[in-house]
Amino acid sequence: MHYLDNAATTPVRPEAVQAAVQAMTEGWGNPSSRYALGSQAAAGVKEHRAQVAKALGCAPEELYFTSCGSEGDNWAIRGAVELGRRKGKHIITTAIEHSAVLEPCRALEREGYEVTYLAPNADGQVSMEDVKAALRPDTVLVSMMLVNNELGTLQPVAETARAIRAAGSPALLHCDAVQGFLKVPFTPKALGVDLLTISGHKIHAPKGVGALYIRKGLRFPPLIRGGGQEEGLRSGTEATAQIASFAAAAQAGKATLAADLEHMAALKADLARRLPQEVPGAKVVVQGQAPHILPITLPGYKSEVIVRFLSDRGICVSSGSACHKGKPSHVYAALKLPKKELDGVLRISFSYDTTPQDIDALLEGLKAAQEQLFTSLS
């Protein structure tokens, strides 16, 4: 199999599997229990929090475990507007955010909030001029992703933080960094954000675990009330196996980060160079700055048909975010691509374990798709 859809999910790396198994077979106690087995589990959660925090570049007490990136995004958005409810009802986000940001914003619109959706330029980036123009005295939240999950473009998060401060705005800044964590160098402090979301299954940990960074000193409202876990902000018995696995994946990924980024960038550059030469008519949609995502298009072909054709050859790619489930991507639509290009968009995404042979197989598969699908349609 040639797996080239790492922006959707990643295979769980051996270190993460081993950590999960150990947590389930040796450290399976309830961290809230007072006896030794529970204390062992609690110590494990504390250690794993410190490991993920170190990989992210924040203090352990600023990191709160969640079940996924979508939960973190929803918590951040809802919590931020609750904190700012007496200051205003205006939110700024971008038109190319993940659905986990857009859907909570749309729900808040139905509750009386006003949301400004900033459109990207042709290169898939939001301009700072638009950000500054959108800021108002009643803006209580700006939510901007770090790396777009379908384009691989970096958004001006740090610049937005500076603009918020320069304007004297009360707005909190949330960043969905699910596609940025261990893909581009950053720390929450360097970005200047108040809230930041990450997810385990994008960095070779299992599904079912993520984290929300909450800036120290920010008195954030709880997501779940109950037994007081996660400092009372997200009650519920901790998912110790997933947390252990998340920590192991983060630790391993951080240790080889520079080499991994170089490896992915080289594969991306190779595909971008060879694509128009070996697959006539195919083109790169945008050359985003992140090393692990490359959107391409085969104008005149339907992306969902190509995805199925490649799948039959053991090649896994997507026609966009996995969360779209076959629906047209709002991200590619926001670029205002010609219909033929929009219909044929594919997202190729890499990982530390992607090989040059995977790229060769993809190019051969795309050439075969052109020949056979054209024949079947003619």
Side-chain angles (χ1 to χ4, degrees):
M1 183 179 72
H2 301 282
Y3 185 73
L4 290 159
D5 198 20
N6 290 278
T9 197
T10 53
V12 181
R13 63 192 303 158
E15 301 96 327
V17 172
Q18 183 179 354
V21 170
Q22 185 175 359
M24 287 188 288
T25 57
E26 299 177 21
W28 48 265
N30 188 323
S32 297
S33 298
R34 298 290 180 171
Y35 40 77
L37 188 63
S39 298
Q40 177 189 349
V45 171
K46 182 178 181 180
E47 179 184 357
H48 300 142
R49 191 187 312 278
Q51 290 168 338
V52 178
K54 184 177 180 180
L56 182 59
C58 69
E61 57 269 24
E62 295 177 304
L63 195 76
Y64 298 85
F65 289 119
T66 63
S67 66
C68 61
S70 292
E71 180 187 305
D73 285 343
N74 276 258
W75 184 12
I77 290 165
R78 282 284 176 177
V81 298
E82 183 178 334
L83 277 182
R85 64 189 181 279
R86 292 186 177 87
K87 299 175 183 176
K89 301 191 77 172
H90 179 237
I91 299 166
I92 299 171
T93 189
T94 82
I96 56 174
E97 294 296 311
H98 191 277
S99 299
V101 167
L102 294 178
E103 288 304 316
C105 287
R106 289 171 184 145
L108 285 165
E109 283 185 291
R110 294 190 290 271
E111 296 172 23
Y113 282 81
E114 184 181 351
V115 182
T116 299
Y117 298 92
L118 303 177
N121 59 26
D123 292 326
Q125 292 178 294
V126 171
S127 79
M128 277 309 302
E129 289 73 17
D130 289 347
V131 174
K132 292 174 182 177
L135 280 170
R136 302 183 341 202
D138 62 337
T139 304
V140 293
L141 170 67
V142 179
S143 184
M144 179 182 288
M145 64 192 348
L146 183 58
V147 174
N148 184 268
N149 55 307
E150 298 185 50
L151 303 174
T153 51
L154 267 67
Q155 302 307 318
V157 177
E159 294 89 340
T160 296
R162 290 194 288 270
I164 291 171
R165 291 194 295 270
S169 171
L172 295 178
L173 177 58
H174 164 247
C175 177
D176 177 340
V178 166
Q179 290 291 347
F181 184 38
L182 299 183
K183 301 298 191 303
V184 295
F186 75 91
T187 66
K189 185 176 180 181
L191 291 177
V193 299
D194 301 292
L195 304 155
L196 184 138
T197 312
I198 58 176
S199 177
H201 78 105
K202 308 296 188 181
I203 65 158
H204 303 276
K207 302 165 191 68
V209 65
L212 179 65
Y213 161 86
I214 302 176
R215 175 179 53 78
K216 189 175 182 179
L218 188 62
R219 296 178 62 84
F220 212 61
L223 173 67
I224 302 173
R225 300 176 189 275
Q229 292 88 348
E230 297 298 300
E231 299 299 320
L233 295 187
R234 187 186 183 273
S235 293
T237 303
E238 297 89 343
T240 52
Q242 289 97 323
I243 289 170
S245 190
F246 189 16
Q251 197 172 29
K254 185 68 172 180
T256 59
L257 183 59
D260 291 347
L261 298 185
E262 185 178 351
H263 172 72
M264 290 186 286
L267 291 174
K268 177 177 174 177
D270 184 52
L271 176 57
R273 177 183 60 81
R274 294 170 59 189
L275 179 70
Q277 300 171 359
E278 300 184 28
V279 187
K283 59 190 290 187
V284 172
V285 177
V286 295
Q287 186 77 47
Q289 301 90 336
H292 68 300
I293 297 174
L294 186 71
I296 66 174
T297 182
L298 273 71
Y301 296 82
K302 295 290 187 182
S303 58
E304 60 268 26
V305 176
I306 301 171
V307 168
R308 288 196 296 269
F309 180 89
L310 293 175
S311 178
D312 290 341
R313 298 171 67 100
I315 303 164
C316 301
V317 302
S318 81
S319 55
S321 169
C323 298
H324 291 306
K325 296 183 178 178
K327 298 177 182 178
S329 163
H330 66 280
V331 174
Y332 298 128
L335 297 185
K336 295 182 168 53
L337 298 174
K339 188 175 188 306
K340 278 191 173 183
E341 293 186 13
L342 182 61
D343 288 346
V345 169
L346 300 171
R347 179 185 65 183
I348 316 301
S349 48
F350 316 98
S351 174
Y352 77 92
D353 58 357
T354 307
T355 67
Q357 290 72 36
D358 293 326
I359 306 302
D360 294 340
L362 172 65
L363 290 168
E364 288 296 324
L366 292 173
K367 284 189 286 186
Q370 276 190 326
E371 296 165 3
Q372 296 180 36
L373 294 177
F374 178 80
T375 301
S376 66
L377 293 172
S378 59

